[in-house]
Amino acid sequence: MSLVLQVEVEFLPWLTQQAVSHLEQGMLARTVVAQIVADAVALKQNREEEAIAMADAQAAAAEAYAAKVRGGAIQTCHRRPQPSAGDAVRLVTPSLCRMAQPVSHCFNVHGV
């Protein structure tokens, strides 16, 4: 068999089959990658929609709670009564008196 005939009969069909196989693998890879990207985009959109819905629900719950507080249905805290000026003087005076004692009470001046 001549070389030309051998190339035409054996090599070219083999080469064609290899090229077709390579192209089919590339097309399959593109299809798989396209599906993965589409799934990822859909998942991202779904998560964004869920996050928006959750934020809206939380905002609505906060607004409903605030409306109940404003309407008096819920008491948020009890305020402690503020001391009057006289109370403040009675609270501070004992500590000021202790600080104003003469230094001689702190040390034994007479019998060193």
Side-chain angles (χ1 to χ4, degrees):
M1 188 185 293
S2 74
L3 183 61
V4 173
L5 186 61
Q6 191 176 8
V7 167
E8 288 177 357
V9 171
E10 294 178 15
F11 180 70
L12 285 179
W14 175 84
L15 183 61
T16 303
Q17 180 58 35
Q18 292 299 316
V20 168
S21 177
H22 181 72
L23 291 174
E24 287 174 350
Q25 287 177 353
M27 289 172 51
L28 178 63
R30 281 194 196 109
T31 303
V32 169
V33 168
Q35 187 60 47
I36 290 171
V37 169
D39 290 347
V41 168
L43 180 63
K44 180 180 180 272
Q45 289 174 344
N46 188 23
R47 287 188 178 169
E48 285 177 351
E49 290 169 2
E50 289 174 355
I52 289 170
M54 184 181 289
D56 289 345
Q58 288 174 346
E63 182 57 37
Y65 183 79
K68 286 181 181 180
V69 169
R70 283 191 300 268
I74 297 175
Q75 293 182 358
T76 57
C77 65
H78 299 283
R79 289 189 167 191
R80 291 178 34 189
Q82 297 295 320
S84 66
D87 292 335
V89 168
R90 279 191 294 278
L91 291 172
V92 173
T93 302
S95 62
L96 289 177
C97 289
R98 280 193 298 275
M99 291 174 14
Q101 290 178 354
V103 177
S104 63
H105 291 281
C106 298
F107 300 101
N108 188 355
V109 179
H110 302 291
V112 179

